[in-house]
Amino acid sequence: MIVPIVYNCVIIILRTCFTAIGLSYLPVWLTLDYVSDLMYAADMTVTLHTGFLDQGILIKDLTRLRKRYLRSKHFMWDLVSLLPTDFLYFAFGFETPLVRINRLVRIPRLNEALDRMETRTSYPNTFRIIKLMIYIFVLIHWNACLYFALSNYIGFGSDQWVYPNITDPMFASMRRQYFYCFWFSAQIFTTVGDTPLPIREDEYLFMIADMLIAVLVFASIVGNVGNVITSLRDRDNVFFPNHELVKAYLRSHHVSKELRQRIDNWYQHLHINKKIMRENEILQQLPLHMRTEIAVSVHLPTLSKVTIFQSCEKSLLEDLVLKLTPQVFSPGEYVCRKGDVGHEMYIIKEGKLAVVADDGVTEFAVLSAGNFFGEISILNIKGNKSGNRRTANIKSIGHSDLFSLSKEDLTDVLSEFPAAKRHLEEKGRQILIKMGMLENRAEVEEVEAEKVETKIERLESSLELLRTKLARLMVELESSNRKMRARVEQLEMRVAVLHIRLPPDEEGGEEGSGRQDGVGGEADWEREEAEGEEEGVEENGGKQGDNNDVTKEGDGESTKSTKDLTERVAVGNKFDLKDSDCLKGKESDGEKIIEKGDGRPGKGDGVETEPRNHKHDPSEEGESVDKEYQRRLRRKRRAGFKLKENKS
């Protein structure tokens, strides 16, 4: 549809304004008019059979296609563009081709065609420039035709601004008329300004309109050209690394001139030979399956040349081709050195590499396109004498293009293909046997046995350490239990002492002493406890030997903690004995004992004391005290007997 639409856009206005051109070639114009009309009708037929997407499914049913097209607005516009307005020639004459102006309704179809061509062409930036030039040409053409028509209306040669008098032979030819008007319009739209000044009001209005349009045209040209240049720059940045930034970095850090020259040569090689270093970034926007297909079509033949990957399943190779990374090496640059740990293997795509001695001069072999090396270092084969290290120095003779496959990428892919992993390891083992780089099985088994023995010794030492810690914890647990039992018995004795009451007639006399016992007695209790601790340490110093010997096997801190616990148990026992004797003495003297702390009612270790002003019955108080005394005395005698037994 580009040809008929552009034809109507150009010829209709040309024949309307330049009547001499229209009448001179009338048979040609009429023939082209009806050919373009036939193309319009053919476009309607094609559109009627063009499928459309319904929920992602391409609809091809002719009935649905016809119904959809006939009910759409596009059909109405297409029908208007084919109305037979040519019959108006009989009313206005053939010198008025403006009757075919309805053919310009198809201009949106032209935009659609150009947009589709832009997405399909391999050179979109060039196509954008061409499309912009077509638009500018049509605009200048229309302005030139209108300028000639306005000059005809005002009068040719009436002033300097209009077209010169056509009676002049120099300006009488039709070709000169069109070229002069086109040049005049181009000067206005390009804002050159070298045009005659207008004189009439009509001329001023025409110039004002042209200048406004010229501003938009100029802005459109600058904007589109800027977008094209930016797109080209972005393309270069994606295809090639940014050389300017690298050069600025090298200058700021005062890198040697020789190294800078090598880097410049490397960049020059990339640009001249169109080497692409960032394939993954270029194809990143594509779906994964499309990227896989592209990588398979580009790199699979190269990967299939590697011996260890031959006869592998296709799915494994398809995963590996996505991991290949292109690399370019400059002349004299080492790809790998002898003794380096191998992290990747290399496949030569283009160029030559030499296997050289340590001096870098003596050449043992030359590798060319299709060769590969370093495949054994990425498989981790047991018994490899080189230990996954490089066994040779490989240097690039000229500019060499290689593909690298890292060990990590191969490991990730092989984790999903265990059968292929075993197959590759077996192939690598056979290659090592041919090279004499694989250790004997007996040696390998001996090394593995030594590793197992070392692991067993390490486990035994760990087990012995755990046993020692367990023994220390058991001793600490036993000591803690003894301490808790002694403390419980001690608290029971104190509770028994605080529950004893004196007769009411002695309450007043002993009230002050009870208070003194509550305040000063606490100091006596603490003093007796300290003395008991010193005596307990001396008496029990040698009786904890067995336990201390056990804890010393663990560490010194556990021995100290066990000894402290034992001393505390002894102190508790002695304190309980003293407490029992003190209880008997106070019972015989008839002294009243109150809980330590303050003497307020309700304050004590769970003992409820009666208010001070409460009156007691002497007989009932005596009987209750006597019974409580006998019961507490029997309990304390039993507790004292147990404490003596524990002490012994």
Side-chain angles (χ1 to χ4, degrees), residues 260-325:
R260 281 188 290 173
Q261 185 63 36
R262 287 174 53 194
I263 295 173
D264 292 340
N265 293 337
W266 183 77
Y267 273 105
Q268 187 177 7
H269 172 73
L270 292 182
H271 282 275
I272 292 176
N273 298 278
K274 303 300 181 183
K275 302 295 182 181
I276 301 175
M277 300 297 298
R278 304 164 70 177
E279 293 182 353
N280 296 332
E281 295 184 13
I282 297 173
L283 305 177
Q284 189 175 7
Q285 303 298 330
L286 295 177
L288 180 60
H289 66 279
M290 289 187 178
R291 279 185 286 166
T292 304
E293 292 180 3
I294 294 173
V296 167
S297 62
V298 174
H299 303 317
L300 187 59
T302 304
L303 188 63
S304 300
K305 296 178 182 179
V306 182
T307 305
I308 59 175
F309 295 132
Q310 292 176 354
S311 70
C312 287
E313 51 186 309
K314 187 177 179 181
S315 58
L316 173 63
L317 298 180
E318 289 178 354
D319 288 345
L320 287 177
V321 292
L322 293 174
K323 309 294 184 180
L324 294 178
T325 304

Side-chain angles (χ1 to χ4, degrees), residues 300-439:
L300 187 59
T302 304
L303 188 63
S304 300
K305 296 178 182 179
V306 182
T307 305
I308 59 175
F309 295 132
Q310 292 176 354
S311 70
C312 287
E313 51 186 309
K314 187 177 179 181
S315 58
L316 173 63
L317 298 180
E318 289 178 354
D319 288 345
L320 287 177
V321 292
L322 293 174
K323 309 294 184 180
L324 294 178
T325 304
Q327 294 187 12
V328 178
F329 291 90
S330 302
E333 186 177 358
Y334 278 89
V335 180
C336 61
R337 295 181 180 271
K338 186 177 180 179
D340 294 343
V341 178
H343 296 288
E344 61 276 316
M345 65 168 295
Y346 295 95
I347 304 171
I348 303 175
K349 180 183 179 183
E350 183 181 349
K352 291 185 178 181
L353 290 86
V355 182
V356 298
D358 294 338
D359 56 4
V361 179
T362 306
E363 295 184 0
F364 298 120
V366 177
L367 304 177
S368 58
N371 294 118
F372 55 90
F373 56 92
E375 70 278 8
I376 302 300
S377 62
I378 64 175
L379 289 177
N380 289 331
I381 300 175
K382 296 181 179 180
N384 188 359
K385 293 182 179 180
S386 61
N388 293 334
R389 292 184 177 272
R390 305 294 187 188
T391 58
N393 301 313
I394 298 180
K395 183 173 66 173
S396 177
I397 298 176
H399 288 283
S400 303
D401 298 342
L402 282 73
F403 287 113
S404 65
L405 178 63
S406 65
K407 181 187 297 185
E408 292 77 10
D409 292 336
L410 181 62
T411 303
D412 293 340
V413 175
L414 291 181
S415 62
E416 301 177 359
F417 299 91
K421 182 179 180 180
R422 292 191 296 269
H423 176 69
L424 293 177
E425 289 179 351
E426 184 61 29
K427 279 195 171 184
R429 203 172 286 111
Q430 294 175 3
I431 295 174
L432 288 176
I433 292 174
K434 292 180 181 179
M435 297 171 59
M437 298 296 295
L438 188 65
E439 297 178 354

Side-chain angles (χ1 to χ4, degrees), residues 535-545 548 563 566-567 570:
E535 294 177 4
V537 169
E538 295 176 357
E539 292 176 2
N540 296 291
K543 294 182 182 181
Q544 301 294 332
N548 292 338
K563 185 175 180 180
T566 307
E567 292 176 355

Side-chain angles (χ1 to χ4, degrees), residues 538-554:
E538 295 176 357
E539 292 176 2
N540 296 291
K543 294 182 182 181
Q544 301 294 332
D546 297 336
N547 294 335
N548 292 338
D549 292 338
V550 175
T551 56
K552 286 178 181 179
E553 295 177 1

Side-chain angles (χ1 to χ4, degrees), residues 60-75:
K60 299 181 180 180
D61 185 20
L62 186 58
T63 304
R64 295 186 60 182
L65 295 179
R66 185 185 299 111
K67 184 184 298 184
R68 180 174 181 270
Y69 177 64
L70 295 177
R71 294 181 179 179
S72 63
K73 294 182 179 179
H74 295 288
F75 172 72

